[in-house]
Amino acid sequence: MDEHLIAMSAPGIGEAGQTGQWRREYPVILPSACLPVKSGRFSCQICWAHCPDNCITKGSPPVIDLFYCKGCGICAEVCPTDAILMRPEGS
Ligand code: SF4
Ligand code: SF4
């Protein structure tokens, strides 16, 4: 058994509707501040691990699926290098 596997659910449309529809802010990743991009190594991925909607993919930099992102800002809070900014919807 691969000890690095963890249980993750896939994003989907819930009873309250598509989460991205009621977002007031959206996250933007700044690649120049993202650790995997800066180091050239697959590292960090803390944003991926903490997103409650599982709408961030692992990567360098990670990619956020705004169709499901509800704009909670957790990813921006947990990012150790402030590489994720929250911007007002529509800006
Ligand atoms: S938490 Fe921040 S530094 Fe780490 S992968 Fe995500 S955006 Fe990059
Ligand atoms: S704002 Fe919330 S829902 Fe959107 S990507 Fe970040 S942690 Fe996930």
Side-chain angles (χ1 to χ4, degrees):
M1 181 177 153
D2 186 343
E3 63 188 27
H4 300 294
L5 286 177
I6 63 173
M8 294 289 284
S9 59
I13 298 175
E15 288 186 16
Q18 177 200 328
T19 48
Q21 287 181 326
W22 29 271
R23 187 179 55 232
R24 292 186 172 184
E25 293 183 306
Y26 67 99
V28 176
I29 295 181
L30 304 176
S32 60
C34 177
L35 285 174
V37 178
K38 287 172 67 174
S39 66
R41 294 184 296 133
F42 190 77
S43 58
C44 192
Q45 311 302 320
I46 293 173
C47 53
W48 165 81
H50 284 78
C51 175
D53 283 307
N54 194 21
C55 61
I56 306 179
T57 62
K58 288 182 177 178
S60 177
V63 176
I64 298 173
D65 183 348
L66 293 177
F67 188 81
Y68 291 113
C69 166
K70 62 186 171 194
C72 65
I74 291 175
C75 54
E77 286 291 322
V78 298
C79 176
T81 59
D82 295 328
I84 303 178
L85 302 178
M86 298 302 293
R87 297 233 169 99
E89 200 65 31
S91 65

